[in-house]
Amino acid sequence: MSDLAAALEVVGARWALLIVERLLDGPQRYGDLQRELGVPTNMLAIRLRELEAAGVLSRLPLKHNTRAYALTDRGLALRAAIVALGRWGAEQVRTANKGRDPGDHGGGVADA
Amino acid sequence: MSDLAAALEVVGARWALLIVERLLDGPQRYGDLQRELGVPTNMLAIRLRELEAAGVLSRLPLKHNTRAYALTDRGLALRAAIVALGRWGAEQVRTANKGRDPGDHGGGVADA
DNA sequence: CGGAGAACTTGTATTTTGCAAGTGTGAGCC
DNA sequence: GGCTCACACTTGCAAAATACAAGTTCTCCG
């Protein structure tokens, strides 16, 4: 199995990479992830469990019965891949507006 | 929708990125992709159609009724992302051999 | 105690994926 | 010309993943 296939086994499932992307901004709580991503709640629960089991993220207990999810080192190591894919997606979006788009000429590569 | 989400709409489906990875080595034929990836034939047909529609790859007609699939510029632009994800996957594989592995520190590709 | 917010779980419909078998087309052989 | 073969798919159906909606548990607050 190729390295890429190994990576996709962990973060190839639907929503997984998007969850990690949100977490790159710092720890988030369950409800925040759900609202910002629009992911179905049962899927979110499953993904968080899988990603925790894979060592990509960990749960930090907060007050009361709440917790936050934070990336581990292994999760943070995904930043390069996520940025690369995001850049490609941005180009995709720009050229998806087929035809010319007069008025936009800024070098708009949304950097990170 | 984030740039990452846009990217995943195109190459987030199962097998899509693996197909593109194979194509980074140059144009391939249908049968080659199927045998090397082990992807079900109907999935391969669907993915190739979608990726072509998305402008990621194109078909080149060869002799008689055979053709080859080759990446477009847009497809080639995925190389950086694929390499980054592949690197991450490689680390994943190495540390998946949890615990210490005394004596082995070479490029031991453990699994099959 | 009653209600509200957070983090899930459970049940069921819908979509995606996988497996096996079949179709069409042109080449090569006889 | 008819047969077989490889290639590039298509089709039918079962299994798995995903989505949607509702319910559950826990804790704090009043």
Side-chain angles (χ1 to χ4, degrees):
Chain A
M1 189 212 275
S2 76
D3 292 340
L4 180 60
L8 292 176
E9 289 246 321
V10 179
V11 293
R14 197 112 74 185
W15 300 109
L17 264 190
L18 291 168
I19 291 169
V20 174
E21 185 194 31
R22 293 306 300 118
L23 259 32
L24 285 174
D25 285 352
Q28 310 277 333
R29 290 185 315 169
Y30 189 95
D32 297 336
L33 289 169
Q34 192 184 324
R35 276 184 293 277
E36 296 193 44
L37 291 175
V39 49
T41 178
N42 53 348
M43 278 295 104
L44 180 56
I46 290 171
R47 285 294 103 85
L48 289 173
R49 229 182 292 136
E50 292 171 344
L51 290 172
E52 186 187 12
V56 171
L57 54 82
S58 61
R59 16 187 114 192
L60 334 164
L62 301 184
K63 346 207 91 177
H64 330 321
N65 57 342
T66 69
R67 25 196 160 283
Y69 294 89
L71 293 180
T72 61
D73 287 348
R74 191 177 294 188
L76 286 168
L78 276 165
R79 185 187 296 272
I82 287 175
V83 168
L85 246 186
R87 270 200 234 280
W88 186 83
E91 285 180 31
Q92 195 73 7
V93 168
R94 261 191 294 116
T95 57
N97 310 336
K98 40 111 182 231
R100 37 307 269 3
D101 192 8
D104 179 11
H105 51 287
V109 178
D111 198 347
Chain B
M1 189 211 277
S2 75
D3 293 340
L4 180 59
L8 292 176
E9 289 247 321
V10 179
V11 293
R14 197 112 73 185
W15 300 109
L17 265 190
L18 292 168
I19 291 168
V20 174
E21 186 194 30
R22 293 304 302 116
L23 258 33
L24 285 174
D25 286 352
Q28 309 278 333
R29 289 185 315 169
Y30 188 96
D32 297 336
L33 289 170
Q34 192 185 328
R35 276 184 293 276
E36 295 193 43
L37 292 175
V39 49
T41 178
N42 53 346
M43 279 294 104
L44 181 56
I46 290 171
R47 286 294 105 85
L48 289 173
R49 232 182 290 137
E50 293 171 342
L51 290 172
E52 186 188 13
V56 172
L57 54 82
S58 62
R59 12 188 117 193
L60 332 167
L62 302 183
K63 342 209 95 170
H64 55 286
N65 61 341
T66 69
R67 30 196 155 278
Y69 294 89
L71 293 180
T72 61
D73 287 347
R74 191 176 295 188
L76 287 168
L78 276 164
R79 185 188 296 273
I82 287 174
V83 167
L85 247 186
R87 272 198 231 281
W88 186 84
E91 285 180 30
Q92 195 71 9
V93 169
R94 261 190 288 117
T95 58
N97 311 335
K98 43 129 186 199
R100 36 314 264 358
D101 196 0
D104 180 10
H105 53 285
V109 178
D111 198 331

